[in-house]
Structure formats: structure tokens, C-alpha cells
Amino acid sequence: MIDILQEKCDLRNRLKLLRSQSDQYHKQYTSFLIQNIVEFIHNSCATKDVIACFWPLDNEADLRPLLHQLIQCNYQVALPKTPTKGNPLSFHLWSPTVTMQEGRYKTMHPNTDIIEPNFILVPLMAFDRCGNRLGYGGGYYDRTLQQFSGINCAGVAFSYQEVTQVPTERFDFGLPVIITEQEIIYI
């Protein structure tokens, strides 16, 4: 039997490589991904809700235009700050004029007070149709989603990041919805 940690590592490496070769795809289809996210948020959240998004890391979907669009639609936007390993993320209020700071693993977060989100968008390395997700391997979103159990959340990825089955462990947090540039997948 293949070790589950090795399976995750192999899948993560395969998807990192695929993502690194997909710049043109991202440029062509990010607007469709953002459109689907906005549609989902409009149908799931109230105006003034705090929507937790993420600042793009290497080869991730660049959702910065989404942040501006959400502000224009009267939502509040928060971005995560990555804490020391073993802790959940904290979310900080973002606006177009806020000062950004570099955090752990080259993440970026606003230099503002902590705010509690009403809805969390979760970046994905890979996903399957059962709502299982693969992240970067630090467990930050698993711990965060467990801390905010009951909060609305959705995974965000491009359709090419879908796999038949994501290897999971008992502490991996599944998602009720995954949003891609092609569709909104309800689990």
C-alpha cells in the first residue's frame, strides 16, 4: 500500500508542475473564474458580509480583480495571515489603499486588525467531485475551517486541477462547493 503522505506529495508536485505551465490558460480564463465566484457570492452572502479571499502565490489564480469587484458590490474583503505552523489562519480587513506585508512562505496580508469572515474562499492545488481538496501541505486551511465550522466556504481552482480522487486523512476538511472557470460544483 502506498503511503498516503507520499500520495499527497506526488499529487501536489504533479499539480505544481501543471500549474507552472498554465500561465496562458490562467490569463485566458481567470475572468470566467471570477465571474463564477461573484455569482456564487451574490447568491450565498449578504452585502456587508466579510468575504475571505487570498492573495495569489506562485501560479495560483490571481483574484486581485475580484477583491476590487467585491468592494464595489459593498462586501468587506479579508485576506489571511499565515501564522506559525500548527495554527489556523487569521483574517485581516483589506481595501485598495491598505498597506500589504509579506508573511510566511511569501504570502501577503494587510497590515490591519483581525476580522472574522462570514465566507471563506479556499485556494486548491487539486480537488475531486467529493469535495476533497489538496492544499500546500501545511494544514492551515484544514485548521481554519475546523475553527470556523459551520461557516460558508468554497474551494477555488481551475478545472484542470480536478483529479479522480484526492487522497485524504481523517483531519482533512472537505468542501461543500468548488468553483472553477467552467462551473460551480455543489457537493
Side-chain angles (χ1 to χ4, degrees), residues 2-116:
I2 297 176
D3 181 89
I4 195 144
L5 294 177
Q6 187 60 51
E7 272 187 79
K8 285 182 170 184
C9 184
D10 292 347
L11 180 58
R12 194 174 285 114
N13 288 336
R14 191 177 89 212
L15 267 294
K16 279 182 184 178
L17 178 61
L18 185 58
R19 236 174 40 179
S20 73
Q21 299 167 344
S22 300
D23 280 349
Q24 191 57 41
Y25 190 90
H26 290 192
K27 288 176 186 168
Q28 189 171 354
Y29 291 103
T30 295
S31 63
F32 296 104
L33 176 61
I34 289 173
Q35 180 180 338
N36 284 345
I37 294 169
V38 169
E39 176 187 326
F40 185 81
I41 288 173
H42 283 329
N43 291 328
S44 304
C45 300
T47 55
K48 304 291 185 194
D49 273 358
V50 178
I51 312 300
C53 297
F54 53 90
W55 203 261
L57 290 175
D58 293 335
N59 305 348
E60 252 178 4
D62 186 350
L63 300 184
R64 288 178 287 189
L66 170 69
L67 308 182
H68 293 274
Q69 195 169 347
L70 292 173
I71 295 284
Q72 290 172 351
C73 293
N74 294 316
Y75 295 102
Q76 296 180 78
V77 173
L79 294 175
K81 178 179 180 181
T82 306
T84 56
K85 197 160 178 89
N87 293 298
L89 300 166
S90 60
F91 294 96
H92 298 260
L93 193 60
W94 178 87
S95 73
T97 59
V98 75
T99 302
M100 297 291 285
Q101 286 184 307
E102 186 172 320
R104 298 173 69 81
Y105 311 111
K106 298 192 185 283
T107 59
M108 298 295 288
H109 62 274
N111 186 20
T112 58
D113 292 335
I114 293 175
I115 189 166
E116 189 168 316

